[in-house]
Amino acid sequence: RNSYNLIIKSRKKSLLCKYYDKYSDLHIVDEHHIQNPTIIQQLIKKSSIVIGNSSSAVYEVVFNKKKYMNINSSDFLLSEKSEKYFYDFKKGSMYNFNGLTEVIYPKKMIENLKKRNYDFKQNILKSEYLNYSKKFLGVDKSFDPSKVFKNLKKRSQNA
């Protein structure tokens, strides 16, 4: 498959498991019995890219400095305008952030994968990573956890 492996992570409630098994190289049901790291966290670290469908895994993927492609299936999965409100795919959103995450549409994605039109090994720019981290991951480079520890220690000594 174009020298890539397709690994599908699903939940027990999924009705498509037989198709996952048939069309993927590996199908895992990660119910997080293994912790620190979970199976999916182990796989993210080894991945070139992660393709998801509006999953909160986008945070872990970017935190691990990997690229995330989001399949936008909202047109045929979400019928109500109120449902679509929660999924923001505009430029600068968590699913469409320059150099880190990209929104793709199913038909176009399949065409591009057939043509090998994706460069999965493209480097992530540090500035883009820092901007995403600050905006969506709550990570500010100026944050110093040792200050919190010192403050708590001082308070406990004064109590």
Side-chain angles (χ1 to χ4, degrees):
R1 295 187 195 164
N2 298 339
S3 74
Y4 289 98
N5 290 313
L6 175 62
I7 300 170
I8 297 177
K9 183 244 178 213
S10 67
R11 296 186 179 134
K12 287 181 182 176
K13 65 182 179 182
S14 177
L15 302 175
L16 300 172
C17 287
K18 65 181 178 184
Y19 296 106
Y20 296 161
D21 292 337
K22 183 177 178 180
Y23 294 108
S24 68
D25 297 298
L26 176 65
H27 172 217
I28 60 169
V29 180
D30 191 359
E31 295 296 330
H32 306 294
H33 297 295
I34 299 171
Q35 292 291 320
N36 295 328
T38 62
I39 294 169
I40 196 67
Q41 289 168 336
Q42 292 173 43
L43 290 171
I44 287 170
K45 286 185 181 270
K46 295 177 182 178
S47 298
S48 302
I49 190 163
V50 175
I51 301 172
N53 186 357
S54 303
S55 170
S56 60
V58 66
Y59 301 122
E60 283 187 84
V61 172
V62 174
F63 184 79
N64 283 285
K65 297 182 175 137
K66 304 292 181 172
K67 294 207 174 196
Y68 183 88
M69 294 176 75
N70 188 69
I71 301 170
N72 184 348
S73 55
S74 64
D75 290 343
F76 57 89
L77 287 180
L78 305 174
S79 56
E80 299 294 319
K81 195 173 188 176
S82 60
E83 293 173 320
K84 292 181 182 183
Y85 171 80
F86 294 103
Y87 298 97
D88 182 6
F89 302 116
K90 294 185 289 259
K91 288 251 182 237
S93 69
M94 70 177 161
Y95 296 117
N96 196 0
F97 201 88
N98 188 37
L100 295 169
T101 61
E102 177 183 347
V103 175
I104 53 174
Y105 295 86
K107 187 175 179 180
K108 182 116 173 124
M109 180 188 111
I110 292 166
E111 289 170 5
N112 284 339
L113 285 173
K114 282 181 183 175
K115 295 177 193 171
R116 298 180 183 209
N117 270 2
Y118 286 112
D119 179 12
F120 297 140
K121 298 189 187 312
Q122 199 175 20
N123 290 333
I124 290 175
L125 295 177
K126 188 175 182 178
S127 60
E128 293 166 342
Y129 176 77
L130 291 174
N131 287 336
Y132 189 97
S133 297
K134 196 172 188 177
K135 185 172 182 180
F136 298 110
L137 303 179
V139 177
D140 186 343
K141 197 144 174 92
S142 64
F143 175 73
D144 182 3
S146 67
K147 288 181 184 178
V148 174
F149 176 76
K150 288 174 188 173
N151 192 19
L152 288 171
K153 187 176 179 184
K154 188 186 283 187
R155 284 182 178 199
S156 68
Q157 290 171 344
N158 293 337

